[in-house]
Amino acid sequence: MRLTAILLAIFTAAADASATDAVSAGQWEGDVDVGGRSIHLSCEGKGDPVAVIDAGMGTAPVEDQGWQRIAHRVAAVTTVCLYDRAGQGASSKAPPGPRTSMDSANDLHAALGAAHVRGPYLLVGHSIGGLHAQVFASRYPNDTAGLVLVSSTHPDQTRTWLSLLPPPARDENKSITEARDFLTSMASDPSKNPEMLDFAASATQAKALRSLGSKPVVVATHSPRFRMVPGLPEPLAVKLEDATQRMQKQFLSLSSDSHQNIAATAGHGLPHEDPSFVVDNILQAVTLVRRDH
């Protein structure tokens, strides 16, 4: 697999009142209208807070077996909803043109409201879904009970990685050239990713989240052994991963009730590499939210 494909994989990682009865009964799946388009939701379990899963780039969690298994285990403790972003899975295509995290947050908020799923919500975001979750929390603070950031994209991630790469050189390692080209294009050209996401605009939106106060934030971080950019010379790869781990720790500043757990061996694909770790982090956040209410 080409390095650019691997890197992209890393970044990718009609309801009515009857839906209320179905969700309260323990399980419901269907399409909800968000202004002439439909968003596909699947909810199961009982209790508050409702954990809402926002998955990585290009992933439709409603039909993803890894996320299905995680949701089923969480549903034994509380309500959990999987949702497919616009253009993913059974959801309608997004409107033409670039999208931002704010677009995804607005779609999710509208879909949960249309499905009569009661908040505030515990947002669980993996990879780019974590960036969207940060924007949701900033845009809808009263509907946010807490955050679980699963190897989440950091608003400064692309800029930081680019700053750590050496200046271009004629005889440089091919993997360095490909990494620089990929990161540069991802930061500036939405057409280079499968969801037409404007990374720069989305990162700016996420930076608006300054604090959740005392609402719980659980940071589920991949192992430091993981190499975000495969194939780089090891000293440079270590430097990038050290920076990534520092950015993960920065999420702890979002709340006075923040906690970080670091996976022993699993990489960025935590939902599929170590689903039990993801479940444990979600349930930790559920316990923290309930403790405060």
Side-chain angles (χ1 to χ4, degrees):
M1 183 183 296
R2 287 179 54 81
L3 176 60
T4 52
I6 296 173
L7 284 165
L8 187 56
I10 287 171
F11 271 86
T12 61
D16 53 24
S18 64
T20 306
D21 299 330
V23 172
S24 63
Q27 190 163 8
W28 177 81
E29 180 176 341
D31 299 321
V32 291
D33 182 78
V34 292
R37 296 179 292 113
S38 65
I39 291 293
H40 196 66
L41 278 171
S42 175
C43 301
E44 60 178 311
K46 295 182 180 180
D48 296 320
V50 179
V52 181
I53 308 296
D54 201 340
M57 178 73 74
T59 300
V62 176
E63 61 190 38
D64 182 89
Q65 292 185 354
W67 277 117
Q68 288 173 356
R69 287 190 288 266
I70 288 171
H72 184 66
R73 292 173 62 181
V74 173
V77 177
T78 196
T79 309
V80 57
C81 294
L82 304 173
Y83 102 103
D84 295 342
R85 288 191 296 271
Q88 305 303 307
S91 292
S92 297
K93 291 183 179 180
R99 299 273 291 171
T100 69
S101 290
M102 186 67 76
D103 293 319
S104 293
N106 290 339
D107 277 358
L108 176 57
H109 189 263
L112 292 169
H116 307 284
V117 180
R118 185 179 63 186
Y121 314 105
L122 175 65
L123 280 301
V124 181
H126 172 236
S127 191
I128 199 65
L131 197 69
H132 301 335
Q134 294 166 60
V135 174
F136 186 104
S138 175
R139 177 69 178 84
Y140 303 105
N142 293 335
D143 291 321
T144 301
L147 288 176
V148 182
L149 299 175
V150 183
S151 194
S152 172
T153 300
H154 189 282
D156 292 328
Q157 185 167 292
T158 301
R159 179 187 61 78
T160 299
W161 288 352
L162 278 170
S163 71
L164 293 174
L165 295 177
R170 180 176 299 179
D171 59 346
E172 71 180 1
N173 187 299
K174 183 180 179 181
S175 64
I176 297 176
T177 304
E178 291 184 347
R180 184 187 300 106
D181 291 347
F182 174 83
L183 293 170
T184 300
S185 64
M186 284 289 283
S188 61
D189 187 353
S191 70
K192 298 298 184 181
N193 67 78
E195 295 190 40
M196 284 289 290
L197 183 70
D198 186 328
F199 273 83
S202 298
T204 299
Q205 293 166 354
K207 288 181 180 180
L209 179 62
R210 301 294 185 180
S211 173
L212 284 175
S214 61
K215 295 178 181 178
V217 172
V218 175
V219 183
T221 302
H222 61 265
S223 170
R225 302 178 187 179
F226 179 67
R227 298 294 175 254
M228 272 287 187
V229 183
L232 287 179
E234 185 63 4
L236 181 56
V238 169
K239 183 183 294 187
L240 287 176
E241 184 55 38
D242 286 347
T244 301
Q245 293 289 327
R246 288 195 297 273
M247 285 186 282
Q248 290 285 299
K249 287 188 179 298
Q250 289 173 8
F251 287 133
L252 296 174
S253 68
L254 292 175
S255 171
S256 61
D257 188 12
S258 58
H259 308 264
Q260 183 181 29
N261 303 300
I262 301 176
T265 59
H268 182 66
L270 282 168
H272 300 90
E273 295 178 44
D274 196 346
S276 293
F277 177 77
V278 176
V279 170
D280 289 346
N281 278 266
I282 296 172
L283 295 184
Q284 179 184 7
V286 169
T287 298
L288 291 170
V289 172
R290 289 178 174 175
R291 180 201 63 192
D292 295 337
H293 291 82

